[in-house]
Amino acid sequence: MFAYIIKRLIYAIPIALSVTVVSFVLVYLAPGDPLNAIAPADAPEEVIVALKSAYGLDKPVPVQYGLWLLRAVQGDLGTSIASGRAVTAEVLSAVSNTLLLAGMAALGGVLIGCILGALAGYRHGTWIDRVATVISVIGVSIPHYWLGLVLTIVFSIWLPWFPAMGAGPGGSSEWLWDVEHLRHLVLPALTLSVIPMGIITRTVRALVADMLEQEFVTALRARGLSGVAVFRHIAKNTAPTVLAVAGLQIGYLMGGSILVETVFAWPGTGFLLNTAIFQRDIPLLQGTILVLCMFFVVLNLLVDILQPLIDPRMGRG
Amino acid sequence: MTTPLVSLQDLSVQFCGSRKASALNAVNLELGAGEVLALLGESGSGKSVTLRTLLRLHPERTTKIQGRMQVDGQDVLALKGRALDLYRGGTVSMVFQEPGLAFDPVYTIGQQITESIRAHAAIDEAAARAQALQMLERVQIPQAKRRFDAYPHELSGGMRQRAMIALALACQPKLLLADEPTTALDATVQIQILLLLRELQRETGMSVIFVTHDIGAAVEVADRIAVMYAGRVVEQGPVGEIVRRPRHPYTAGLLAATVGTENRGQPLLAVPGSPPDLAALPPGCSFAPRCAQASERCRREVPPLQTLGQQALACWHPILPLAEAA
């Protein structure tokens, strides 16, 4: 098992490296000049040249990448062109907010998805199954920014139960575990949980329905195991697949919440990314993309390590 | 015979899911304590359905069961909840055809046997584990201690089937159902498993219903054979009687289609045609469309099962009349 974890860790290194290349180069493929954001349109030539060399933009791209990577490894992602603050600090503060939001959304989505999916799988072909299927299809197909707007209208404007914007009272971006902050979390978390909920429901439903047809489940019942005991067996058999799907969904939640964070003005990575794009803030953009991609790498690594712990037939080979 | 351990009376099973099928049609069977009965027949003749019905394993929503089914004095069709759980695995247990598919792949062999024991007896984990290990030794699994912690996929087919037998016998059932327990194994292992089953049956004195389409295997382990066709028992009797003096044309056909030393070098005599569609059974004898002896009456009326002593037969034109065995 230990050797397996080491091997997985080593496999993750080239993936992480290619991620840095992509997140660095991708930004250069996008149209627009970062200097437009800082230099006035009529700035003289000397000023532009001075600015270029100050930000290192006059060097060839591979050299720029090398320097950037060297600093990134040491935890320095450069300085935001727009705000002048350290990118690392900005990204980390945004990441903690996004982690909170995505964590809550994932928890809710996976939990409800598992319950709905298991119910539908067990009652395959009945009205419960059809209701769960309709809910999951709606969950997957509804545009979540639209859902966010509707929820805001209903629960923030018509019924003033939850605030519509920000992560805390008075636009504070510092998170505190109190009722006021939690109320800010409800609507965005609910909005974000709908897609993973739908996908997990469908996955669990298909897995459970398939599992119930398996000979070994019949054999478990033939041994006189109670319904609860049989369910425990089914749960352990479906867990590896659910884990893989959930891991991917949590990854999407980390970065995929640009629209929802913008709708709710939630000071997370999505919101930050949106700002960075509109301000052509290249260091900020690169730093944020890199951190988000690293989330995927780490999540997949975790799933890879957890799966064979549940299912002995996987991995280790 | 005193009160039989198993008694099926006019047992009928219909599947009414997406496709309708009459899988069992008024089956009558009795089995005494310590007796070994082989159910013989082609695929789809209702052998496995009989076993699964005995454990009530068919999905309740789509299965209609009629008739009476008594095992060890219990009305099986009336069992519910905890009583049904205790009956399954406790009174009656089953060895499945494919040991590779009948174990939960993500638990070790030992865990699964231990779990089964604890579902039936109020004993602690350590005692149950000790019992489970003892069972593995009893089915002659070499290095049982090591195999105890093995996952099903880590064992060979023969070892898996031994473990399956250990699991089935862990709660000392009175009746063991064996659903083609050797079909998925290779020939040398088949014989070992058959010998093991016979040995364990003699040691424990349990009754066994053994489903097979291999007449050789039936002769090897059974006291009595019941031949099934299209969800009906068409003939039954002691092994020697069935093999030497088959009375039903279908039994005779099955015996003629067996490879042996006496028909070496000759073309194999297969029973012509194929079994009827269970969704649309013919009105008369189900075997009539494939039977050389079939008359107008055979096509019109279902022959009743006539019983004489240990033997029973359902045929209008038997090859030999039913007679008391010598």
Side-chain angles (χ1 to χ4, degrees):
Chain A
M1 193 62 218
F2 187 67
Y4 171 80
I5 295 176
I6 298 288
K7 209 158 88 182
R8 283 285 137 199
L9 279 172
I10 292 172
Y11 282 161
I13 292 172
I15 299 173
L17 268 180
S18 19
V19 161
T20 63
V21 174
V22 171
S23 49
F24 187 86
V25 174
L26 212 57
V27 175
Y28 277 90
L29 297 176
D33 189 333
L35 290 178
N36 289 348
I38 30 173
D42 55 350
E45 195 62 28
E46 317 77 273
V47 176
I48 302 242
V49 171
L51 276 172
K52 265 195 172 170
S53 79
Y55 283 101
L57 294 172
D58 53 344
K59 299 192 182 69
V61 175
V63 176
Q64 284 187 42
Y65 167 74
L67 289 172
W68 175 76
L69 183 64
L70 209 64
R71 284 201 307 262
V73 172
Q74 296 160 13
D76 175 14
L77 292 169
T79 312
S80 161
I81 294 180
S83 73
R85 290 176 54 199
V87 169
T88 313
E90 291 226 10
V91 173
L92 284 184
S93 132
V95 160
S96 69
N97 283 329
T98 292
L99 266 178
L100 184 77
L101 179 57
M104 280 298 169
L107 197 72
V110 171
L111 213 66
I112 297 171
C114 283
I115 293 170
L116 266 183
L119 275 176
Y122 257 93
R123 295 274 170 268
H124 190 65
T126 64
W127 65 269
I128 298 176
D129 182 18
R130 280 191 281 278
V131 168
T133 306
V134 167
I135 293 176
S136 76
V137 168
I138 290 175
V140 175
S141 26
I142 212 164
H144 53 3
Y145 55 88
W146 179 83
L147 180 67
L149 290 173
V150 170
L151 286 179
T152 307
I153 292 170
V154 175
F155 293 107
S156 205
I157 297 172
W158 293 353
L159 304 163
W161 293 351
F162 300 107
M165 285 174 71
S172 88
S173 62
E174 284 304 304
W175 179 259
L176 284 171
W177 284 103
D178 60 19
V179 179
E180 209 34 59
H181 281 80
L182 281 174
R183 282 184 55 213
H184 279 81
L185 186 61
V186 172
L187 288 185
L190 189 66
T191 308
L192 270 182
S193 70
V194 164
I195 288 180
M197 186 273 291
I199 288 173
I200 298 283
T201 300
R202 288 204 310 193
T203 311
V204 172
R205 171 186 174 271
L207 283 170
V208 169
D210 171 66
M211 208 61 77
L212 286 172
E213 302 276 302
Q214 301 273 321
E215 181 83 339
F216 84 80
V217 173
T218 308
L220 288 173
R221 291 199 290 128
R223 291 174 209 170
L225 298 188
S226 65
V228 180
V230 173
F231 177 73
R232 221 174 32 235
H233 281 266
I234 291 177
K236 195 174 174 190
N237 272 278
T238 47
T241 316
V242 175
L243 200 66
V245 176
L248 213 57
Q249 288 305 312
I250 295 170
Y252 286 136
L253 284 181
M254 290 297 162
S257 51
I258 298 180
L259 294 169
V260 172
E261 286 187 0
T262 307
V263 166
F264 290 100
W266 185 267
T269 48
F271 194 54
L272 191 65
L273 214 53
N274 189 31
T275 319
I277 291 166
F278 278 103
Q279 295 180 336
R280 306 256 180 276
D281 194 338
I282 286 188
L284 188 59
L285 200 50
Q286 286 167 334
T288 314
I289 293 175
L290 178 69
V291 170
L292 289 181
C293 292
M294 284 307 164
F295 266 124
F296 268 95
V297 176
V298 171
L299 269 173
N300 280 329
L301 188 66
L302 275 180
V303 169
D304 276 350
I305 290 173
L306 281 178
Q307 268 179 333
L309 286 180
I310 303 174
D311 191 336
R313 291 167 301 176
M314 284 188 190
R316 290 198 210 178
Chain B
M1 208 190 297
T2 50
T3 21
L5 181 73
V6 183
S7 154
L8 309 182
Q9 284 163 33
D10 290 320
L11 188 72
S12 295
V13 173
Q14 270 183 311
F15 297 133
C16 39
S18 46
R19 240 167 34 92
K20 277 203 192 316
S22 306
L24 287 188
N25 302 292
V27 165
N28 286 288
L29 266 182
E30 280 193 355
L31 184 69
E35 210 183 352
V36 181
L37 172 75
L39 288 183
L40 202 63
E42 284 168 280
S43 310
S45 59
K47 302 168 304 205
S48 295
V49 176
T50 307
L51 295 197
R52 278 161 197 252
T53 307
L54 271 164
L55 277 172
R56 297 247 318 262
L57 290 177
H58 299 298
E60 299 206 344
R61 274 189 295 144
T62 53
T63 313
K64 223 166 78 191
I65 304 177
Q66 285 167 317
R68 284 172 59 77
M69 183 160 67
Q70 282 227 325
V71 177
D72 195 27
Q74 288 173 290
D75 179 3
V76 179
L77 292 177
L79 290 176
K80 275 200 279 279
R82 179 91 180 118
L84 181 59
D85 288 344
L86 284 176
Y87 165 80
R88 288 172 172 164
T91 309
V92 179
S93 70
M94 183 148 160
V95 172
F96 286 79
Q97 179 175 358
E98 260 285 359
L101 300 177
F103 274 111
D104 182 335
V106 303
Y107 286 92
T108 64
I109 300 287
Q111 282 170 339
Q112 297 191 46
I113 301 178
T114 308
E115 182 186 26
S116 230
I117 292 173
R118 293 198 70 193
H120 291 278
I123 57 173
D124 65 10
E125 180 78 18
R129 283 175 67 90
Q131 263 188 39
L133 185 63
Q134 219 178 356
M135 280 317 298
L136 286 184
E137 279 161 0
R138 205 150 154 219
V139 296
Q140 296 151 26
I141 289 183
Q143 296 173 287
K145 262 206 180 64
R146 207 163 57 83
R147 297 298 175 24
F148 187 86
D149 292 317
Y151 286 96
H153 71 276
E154 294 169 336
L155 299 185
S156 68
M159 281 304 141
R160 264 192 295 232
Q161 195 57 294
R162 280 174 195 270
M164 189 84 234
I165 293 170
L167 174 66
L169 298 187
C171 304
Q172 294 101 37
K174 295 192 169 146
L175 172 64
L176 179 73
L177 307 174
D179 189 359
E180 303 196 30
T182 58
T183 308
L185 307 173
D186 57 51
T188 47
V189 181
Q190 283 187 2
I191 296 161
Q192 293 171 9
I193 295 289
L194 284 180
L195 292 176
L196 175 71
L197 273 175
R198 198 169 61 178
E199 195 184 315
L200 289 169
Q201 189 272 327
R202 284 188 186 149
E203 265 175 46
T204 59
M206 62 184 173
S207 306
V208 177
I209 299 181
F210 181 86
V211 156
T212 182
H213 47 236
D214 178 355
I215 294 171
V219 171
E220 193 69 40
V221 295
D223 304 320
R224 213 145 54 87
I225 291 181
V227 180
M228 292 192 75
Y229 188 78
R232 293 192 180 102
V233 173
V234 293
E235 179 172 9
Q236 59 167 301
V239 170
E241 199 64 20
I242 295 277
V243 173
R244 276 191 297 275
R245 283 185 290 278
R247 289 172 166 83
H248 196 283
Y250 178 61
T251 314
L254 274 186
L255 287 166
T258 311
V259 183
T261 38
E262 59 281 11
N263 59 1
R264 182 187 294 265
Q266 292 162 19
L268 201 60
L269 293 169
V271 183
S274 54
D277 182 2
L278 291 174
L281 286 176
C285 173
S286 327
F287 188 59
R290 301 169 73 182
C291 184
Q293 269 96 324
S295 68
E296 203 40 55
R297 189 182 195 190
C298 296
R299 282 182 266 274
R300 229 176 31 236
E301 288 172 65
V302 179
L305 191 72
Q306 295 171 306
T307 313
L308 184 69
Q310 286 229 337
Q311 297 183 72
L313 178 67
C315 184
W316 292 121
H317 309 291
I319 298 170
L320 288 167
L322 210 55
E324 197 71 61

